[in-house]
Amino acid sequence: MTMTSKDVIAVLGPADETLVAEVIATGATQAELAEAFAWASNDEALMGAGRPLPTGRVAALVDLLSSDEEEPE
């Protein structure tokens, strides 16, 4: 099922419209977004827990979320 803006904001909190649209365009699920958000927020803890690195849509979402964090404000 395709995510809505509300689904994205439920996971990420307030986000700009461009990022929300890019996340929706990936076709990912809300569960995939939640996993990607966890990776983007604290990858060291997940690697330390022995979790395999993300792949597919989750990896694409991690890239989107990480690139958004690196932009100057």
Side-chain angles (χ1 to χ4, degrees), residues 2-64:
T2 304
M3 282 193 291
T4 64
S5 296
K6 288 182 182 181
D7 295 331
V8 174
I9 292 168
V11 174
L12 301 181
D16 77 21
E17 293 177 18
T18 303
L19 177 61
V20 172
E22 289 173 340
V23 168
I24 292 170
T26 66
T29 65
Q30 195 170 11
E32 289 170 325
L33 177 58
E35 181 179 350
F37 184 66
W39 274 103
S41 299
N42 194 0
D43 64 348
E44 290 180 23
L46 294 172
M47 285 188 289
R51 297 279 304 267
L53 294 175
T55 59
R57 290 189 291 212
V58 175
L61 288 166
V62 170
D63 288 343
L64 271 176

